[in-house]
């Protein structure tokens, strides 16, 4: 799960991972009750649902996590994530921190990465540089960034997005390394130990 | 800290890491009371000490860990490791599991990697392939490998040494990723949050 300050470039990082390693990654697509915006496609940006459908999904435990913002629901469909994991792909979710921590609680093996620009000044420049925002907008974005980063200390990894290329490779490296975690490999080591014991027995006969 | 089955190739992996990334790694050199063997040099294979000198080091807490095998002491000098860490190098120790777990207890940030051949059969072939060993020697080496692997489940990472080149890069990738661990980067994230708050205050004035 990838989270980060607004303007940290986490969306771009995810797109780059998929473009560079299409066989290794799948993007988790969220579901929402908000209206599709122009250019958004069903199953690409979101799975669009009615409130009734969404609440049905909640009742059926079909969501890994969900939250309500203003008047709309947003959530992560369980079935889609499980399908992709079965194909042995790394499923990436772009998600805010509170949702990520909820998923981590249910699935402790989930990997949490937090992306940040190298400094607050760079973050400010990125938020301003996006367009012709008024000082009020910049101010409110900065304030929201602070709020949104609440709890990021509980994340597993911090990645600095200074140079995009380096940052994408850092994220990829961290995810690859996770596959070598001993707790995911206990059955392999048990098998080797068991086979070694059989070999020793054989030598004794 | 790198441990692994006898015949797992952990010595070769360490040499390769140093050869490929000389600026990033330093080898920890152990100290021992056993006699130097032909070709061994002071400070390269070991720091050679008398029993009296070694026991003095124990008394002065100058060893990160030590153990006695047969009639000799073996240990890890603290000063050398600390010196290398100060130069921001990754210090690699080739060490048996019990010693590694002792160090991990004192220094929880220590990273433990366990190297294994891809299967018990390959391990057997490597142990036999080393020379013209008798079946008894092969048997005793296999038995010792089993004993030596006791406790490896407590390690952080498992690395399979099937292809040496892949394995060396796996180890390097895992060690690099560790630098992105949130617990090593808390001061950075605190600084960005603090500076963001200052920026927001500034915008309000």
């Amino acid at each position: 799960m990838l989270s980060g300050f607004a303007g940290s470039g986490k969306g771009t990082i995810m797109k780059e991972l998929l473009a560079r390693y299409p066989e290794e990654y799948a993007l988790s697509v969220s579901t929402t009750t908000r209206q599709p915006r122009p250019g958004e496609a069903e199953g690409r940006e979101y799975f669009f649902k009615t409130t009734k459908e969404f609440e049905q999904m909640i009742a059926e435990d079909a969501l890994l996590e969900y939250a309500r913002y203003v008047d709309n629901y947003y959530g992560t469909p369980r079935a889609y994530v499980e399908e992709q994991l079965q194909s042995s792909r790394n499923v990436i979710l772009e998600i805010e921190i509170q949702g990520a921590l909820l998923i981590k609680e249910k699935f402790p093996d989930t990997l949490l990465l937090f992306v940040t620009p190298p400094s607050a000044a760079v973050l400010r420049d990125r938020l301003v540089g996006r367009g012709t925002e008024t000082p009020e907008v910049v101010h409110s974005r900065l304030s929201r960034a602070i709020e949104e980063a609440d709890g990021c200390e509980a994340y597993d990894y911090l990645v600095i997005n200074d140079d995009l290329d380096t940052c994408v490779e850092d994220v990829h490296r961290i995810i690859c390394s996770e596959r070598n975690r001993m707790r995911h490999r206990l059955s392999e080591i048990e098998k080797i130990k068991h086979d070694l014991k059989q070999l020793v027995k054989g030598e004794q006969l």
Side-chain angles (χ1 to χ4, degrees), chain A:
Chain A
M1 295 193 278
L2 207 65
S3 308
F5 288 114
S8 64
K10 51 189 187 298
T12 316
I13 293 165
M14 290 178 65
K15 274 184 206 125
E16 276 298 309
L17 280 176
L18 283 163
R20 294 184 193 186
Y21 309 101
E23 297 303 313
E24 294 176 54
Y25 291 97
L27 213 60
S28 166
V29 180
S30 296
T31 181
T32 183
T33 57
R34 82 151 165 74
Q35 290 303 307
R37 290 179 192 146
E40 287 186 344
E42 165 71 14
R44 193 181 64 196
E45 277 76 15
Y46 285 100
F47 296 109
F48 295 98
K49 303 282 176 196
T50 65
T51 303
K52 204 183 152 189
E53 285 169 336
F54 199 101
E55 287 172 348
Q56 182 69 24
M57 289 179 85
I58 298 173
E60 286 168 356
D61 197 24
L63 299 168
L64 293 179
E65 59 80 43
Y66 69 94
R68 197 176 177 121
Y69 294 111
V70 200
D71 282 335
N72 288 304
Y73 281 120
Y74 295 80
T76 306
R78 176 192 297 273
Y80 183 85
V81 169
E82 286 178 351
E83 239 169 62
Q84 296 298 325
L85 285 176
Q86 291 234 324
S87 75
S88 87
R89 284 199 166 121
N90 301 305
V91 181
I92 343 175
L93 276 78
E94 187 185 334
I95 187 170
E96 38 66 57
I97 293 180
Q98 301 315 317
L101 294 178
L102 279 177
I103 295 186
K104 179 88 171 180
E105 219 168 272
K106 278 201 212 169
F107 306 92
D109 280 347
T110 304
L111 195 66
L112 302 185
L113 285 85
F114 192 81
V115 186
T116 177
S119 71
V122 171
L123 178 55
R124 190 191 173 285
D125 292 346
R126 285 192 196 164
L127 291 174
V128 175
R130 270 192 176 173
T132 53
E133 277 79 12
T134 62
E136 287 73 28
V137 170
V138 172
H139 178 268
S140 108
R141 280 190 185 162
L142 285 173
S143 306
R144 237 187 101 193
I146 297 174
E147 277 170 40
E148 283 181 348
D150 226 32
C152 74
E153 292 84 359
Y155 271 52
D156 298 307
Y157 292 93
L158 179 70
V159 190
I160 311 284
N161 187 5
D162 191 358
D163 169 65
L164 177 69
D165 186 59
T166 308
C167 181
V168 170
E169 293 309 318
D170 282 353
V171 170
H172 181 59
R173 199 184 60 202
I174 290 166
I175 294 169
C176 290
S177 294
E178 193 62 16
R179 301 230 164 221
N180 287 93
R181 279 255 159 222
M182 184 62 90
R183 65 168 176 271
H184 305 316
R185 311 296 284 263
L186 289 172
S187 62
E188 276 166 83
I189 201 84
E190 276 316 308
K191 175 158 177 32
I192 291 173
K193 280 185 170 184
H194 171 266
D195 292 352
L196 271 179
K197 282 175 195 162
Q198 294 301 109
L199 277 175
V200 169
K201 265 194 206 161
E203 301 272 344
Q204 274 170 335
L205 291 177

